[in-house]
Amino acid sequence: MLPELLVPVGNPQTLDAAIEGGADAVYLGGTLFNARMNARNFDRPALAAAVEKCHSRGVKLYVTLNTQILDRQMPDALNYVLYLYSIGVDALIVADFGLARRIKALLPDFPLHASTQASAHNTDAAKYLADIGFSRVVVARELSRENIASITKNAPIETEVFVHGALCVCHSGQCLMSSVIGGRSGNRGECAQPCRLPYNGKYPLSLKDNCLAAHIPEFIEMGVSCLKIEGRMKGSDYVYSTVSTYRKLLDEHRPASRKEIDRMAAVFSRGGFTDGYYSGRIDPSMIGIRSEESKQESAAIKVRISESTRDLPAITVDRPALSPEIKPNVKNKALPKPCRSARFYKAENIPDTAGKFLDIVYLPLDRFDGKKANGVVLPPVITDKEREAVKAALLSAKAEGAVHALVGNVGHFALARECGFVIHGDFRLNINNSRCAEEIAGHCADFILSPELILPQIRDIGGEKSVIVYGRTPLMLLEKPVGAPQLRDRKGVIFPILQEGGRDLVFNCIPTYMADRKDQLKAAGVRNLHFIFTVEGKRESEAILEAYEKGLATKKEVRRIK
């Protein structure tokens, strides 16, 4: 059986191009809660018309609800879901675990696909997603051929793979750069694309577009369920040229020719294509920008859209008229003892007096020192290929005295449990609402909320929540290394780069500082505190902990939780 060919649609014109080009299914966004809010998208009447058109041509239609949801948005999101269910949408693409839980409780027969924003990069993540009701997982775009094959073979749900289109340099769902420095959250559909800007006088974060057209027979052999093309912001020429090419390759069970790849590149590319993640060739050749000359050449190309000769049976979706009760969120009760924790990136920077201020001192797993710390930060990415080596390192750290594990991915809970750690949820879990907090609380002693939240939004969430009260926020998690210790932007602002689990992390230029805002945190229900120490030395780290204890203000430029 061939993989489903899933095609991006941003407006009614590209919908026609996708159908005529040979899509098996299309995905699009409505006017709410999708990660491409700057696309034209579809209002409710247009959505209903799109469903009817697709189903009459034998094409499925999926709707993206792939942003992180706030508590105050949850009722609107669920009412929107009820509408999508009623018009026969075939599946929802969802990133927020709390929203997913609510949808399955309300509408258990509504298929859910886990967005790439869910950061699923191993089989354990796929198993977790299956447990909470997902029937398909969009695997991380950074995975190699070997890791995709492993998940596809061992996951209890379908796998979907991005085979063509733009690549974010940061792991999806793990980018806070646009949000923290520009106030436009990529996790909420408003990314300003800071990765496409120059740093260090070059473009080290701008990747070429992905193209895996030369590997189609491999995906068929693996048993991948769906091949996905990116591009909801692009026009009809792009959509038709890519989908018609991939349609032909799938039907003929063959890889693309050089001529076919060049033809797609002429319509849209950033200095050509790359298959670096898939093939394991992660090097500078992956970097590319879209030149003015390339834009002009692409604009001059007019793709002739031919009427499809495919004759697929019409799709009928029969669903009962439902009016489920949408109940308000239920707050978790806080546990009696507050917890203060901190992560350091070098053992030598941990003050001798750390135990006076902190209950848990974390070090990255690959730099754990049992004389200095009692907790490990799990690597932010653990692929199937890396799992056994990480497990051995965890057991070694446990033997050396590690008790606590800071876990930032749902695919890592099982491994931390296997090794007998007390699990704490990291900010990478993107906890933005009470439903997500309830879901994650079933696996963790406590959890750090998303750094994107403001104080009123933090107040809405119950449970053993923690916030980052000091430190430079990690803004990007990179599979493709920068090759430099820092990024300097056009204004001379410097963003430090450190490594965690063998991958580059880009940190904010200034730290968060809340020592003189304790009353505000308390009013928001925050008792558990987390500190991040990156470039600070031993003395500075101790001074910061003392300043927090005393509630001292600072004259330095800092970021506040508003």
Side-chain angles (χ1 to χ4, degrees):
M1 185 174 174
L2 292 180
E4 176 182 84
L5 182 57
L6 179 58
V7 181
V9 167
N11 55 57
Q13 291 72 41
T14 52
L15 175 61
D16 290 339
I19 292 172
E20 301 302 346
D24 294 311
V26 302
Y27 66 103
L28 52 82
T31 56
L32 298 171
F33 311 119
N34 86 82
R36 291 291 183 269
M37 290 305 294
N38 293 324
R40 281 177 57 187
N41 295 314
F42 291 73
D43 60 18
R44 290 194 176 197
L47 279 169
V51 171
E52 185 176 355
K53 175 179 283 189
C54 285
H55 287 179
S56 70
R57 298 289 296 273
V59 175
K60 293 182 178 181
L61 186 146
Y62 309 144
V63 171
T64 57
L65 272 81
N66 53 347
T67 59
Q68 298 297 322
I69 308 296
L70 301 174
D71 274 310
R72 298 173 194 190
Q73 296 174 321
M74 190 66 75
D76 287 341
L78 294 172
N79 280 314
Y80 182 50
V81 167
L82 292 177
Y83 172 74
L84 298 175
Y85 180 87
S86 72
I87 63 172
V89 166
D90 294 283
L92 301 177
I93 302 173
V94 177
D96 189 294
F97 305 128
L99 177 61
R101 276 291 197 190
R102 290 294 286 126
I103 293 171
K104 294 312 288 187
L106 288 167
L107 305 167
D109 62 333
F110 205 170
L112 299 183
H113 299 172
S115 167
T116 187
Q117 292 289 113
S119 305
H121 52 246
N122 60 29
T123 298
D124 285 337
K127 291 177 179 177
Y128 175 94
L129 293 167
D131 286 344
I132 65 173
F134 287 96
S135 58
R136 179 184 291 183
V137 56
V138 185
V139 300
R141 284 177 279 194
E142 294 78 13
L143 294 182
S144 67
R145 177 193 296 111
E146 181 180 2
N147 284 307
I148 292 173
S150 176
I151 296 175
T152 301
K153 179 181 178 181
N154 298 304
I157 54 177
E158 296 179 347
T159 52
E160 179 174 304
V161 177
F162 270 103
V163 293
H164 195 95
L167 286 173
C168 299
V169 71
C170 179
H171 276 258
S172 294
Q174 300 299 309
C175 187
L176 298 175
M177 196 160 193
S178 179
S179 176
V180 171
I181 70 174
R184 291 174 55 183
S185 171
N187 287 332
R188 294 180 194 156
E190 299 174 337
C191 181
Q193 295 191 307
C195 54
R196 302 300 179 187
L197 298 176
Y199 300 89
N200 302 345
K202 299 179 180 179
Y203 291 86
L205 303 181
S206 182
L207 297 183
K208 293 177 180 176
D209 279 14
N210 186 36
C211 180
L212 304 183
H215 305 285
I216 295 301
E218 297 166 27
F219 292 117
I220 296 173
E221 184 178 351
M222 281 182 205
V224 168
S225 296
C226 178
L227 303 184
K228 187 174 193 174
I229 296 169
E230 183 276 340
R232 285 194 285 138
M233 299 288 287
K234 298 190 174 73
S236 300
D237 288 345
Y238 168 87
V239 170
Y240 184 80
S241 65
T242 52
V243 66
S244 59
T245 300
Y246 279 88
R247 177 76 271 152
K248 191 172 185 180
L249 299 178
L250 279 168
D251 290 345
E252 296 176 4
H253 292 57
R254 66 172 178 84
S257 66
R258 183 72 258 170
K259 183 178 180 180
E260 288 169 318
I261 292 174
D262 289 344
R263 188 163 58 239
M264 288 191 290
V267 175
F268 191 98
S269 72
R270 291 179 171 86
F273 291 133
T274 181
D275 68 351
Y277 288 142
Y278 181 79
S279 65
R281 295 191 296 269
I282 301 176
D283 58 35
S285 70
M286 296 177 70
I287 299 298
I289 60 172
R290 186 147 169 77
S291 66
E292 287 302 320
E293 181 182 3
S294 176
K295 291 178 185 178
Q296 292 172 8
E297 291 175 354
S298 295
I301 296 173
K302 298 300 178 185
V303 176
R304 181 175 176 271
I305 298 178
S306 301
E307 187 173 343
S308 175
T309 58
R310 298 176 82 204
D311 185 19
L312 300 176
I315 296 172
T316 301
V317 178
D318 292 319
R319 287 176 177 157
L322 294 178
S323 298
E325 181 183 359
I326 298 174
K327 297 180 180 179
N329 294 331
V330 179
K331 301 294 174 104
N332 292 340
K333 292 182 179 179
L335 297 176
K337 187 179 182 301
C339 178
R340 296 176 298 178
S341 62
R343 79 185 79 192
F344 295 80
Y345 282 84
K346 291 183 179 179
E348 56 264 33
N349 291 339
I350 299 174
D352 296 334
T353 57
K356 173 183 174 183
F357 304 103
L358 301 168
D359 300 296
I360 306 172
V361 176
Y362 293 107
L363 280 168
L365 177 60
D366 55 1
R367 276 162 268 168
F368 181 74
D369 181 344
K371 296 178 182 178
K372 295 278 190 176
N374 61 349
V376 294
V377 181
L378 265 68
V381 176
I382 306 171
T383 64
D384 282 1
K385 185 178 179 180
E386 297 166 329
R387 192 182 195 277
E388 287 307 308
V390 172
K391 182 176 181 179
L394 281 170
L395 292 173
S396 177
K398 187 172 177 58
E400 200 178 334
V403 175
H404 305 275
L406 192 58
V407 175
N409 189 281
V410 295
H412 304 168
F413 287 146
L415 180 57
R417 279 195 300 269
E418 282 178 32
C419 295
F421 284 90
V422 177
I423 299 174
H424 305 263
D426 202 359
F427 73 93
R428 295 191 182 284
L429 293 166
N430 287 327
I431 300 173
N432 286 275
N433 60 67
S434 296
R435 295 298 182 183
C436 188
E438 290 167 7
E439 169 59 32
I440 297 302
H443 303 271
C444 302
D446 63 355
F447 46 81
I448 301 171
L449 297 178
S450 167
E452 294 189 275
L453 296 175
I454 61 175
L455 289 168
Q457 294 161 353
I458 290 170
R459 187 173 58 243
D460 288 342
I461 301 173
E464 276 300 288
K465 60 191 178 188
S466 177
V467 299
I468 297 168
V469 296
Y470 175 80
R472 295 172 185 262
T473 306
L475 302 180
M476 284 188 169
L477 165 60
L478 309 180
E479 197 72 17
K480 160 71 180 67
V482 173
Q486 63 187 30
L487 292 174
R488 183 188 295 270
D489 72 8
R490 296 168 297 173
K491 298 179 181 179
V493 175
I494 293 175
F495 300 87
I497 297 174
L498 299 175
Q499 282 216 333
E500 191 174 298
R503 291 167 172 91
D504 279 4
L505 297 184
V506 178
F507 288 84
N508 197 15
C509 52
I510 58 173
T512 296
Y513 189 85
M514 296 296 289
D516 52 345
R517 299 288 195 274
K518 288 183 178 181
D519 289 345
Q520 294 179 20
L521 292 172
K522 185 177 180 180
V526 174
R527 301 187 310 145
N528 297 342
L529 314 175
H530 187 72
F531 301 77
I532 299 177
F533 294 101
T534 50
V535 298
E536 298 86 352
K538 190 173 184 177
R539 288 185 179 179
E540 186 179 2
S541 298
E542 185 172 38
I544 290 163
L545 289 169
E546 288 180 348
Y548 195 90
E549 195 75 9
K550 296 175 182 178
L552 300 180
T554 180
K555 294 182 180 179
K556 296 181 180 179
E557 183 183 7
V558 295
R559 176 180 178 268
R560 302 286 194 181
I561 303 174
K562 297 180 181 179

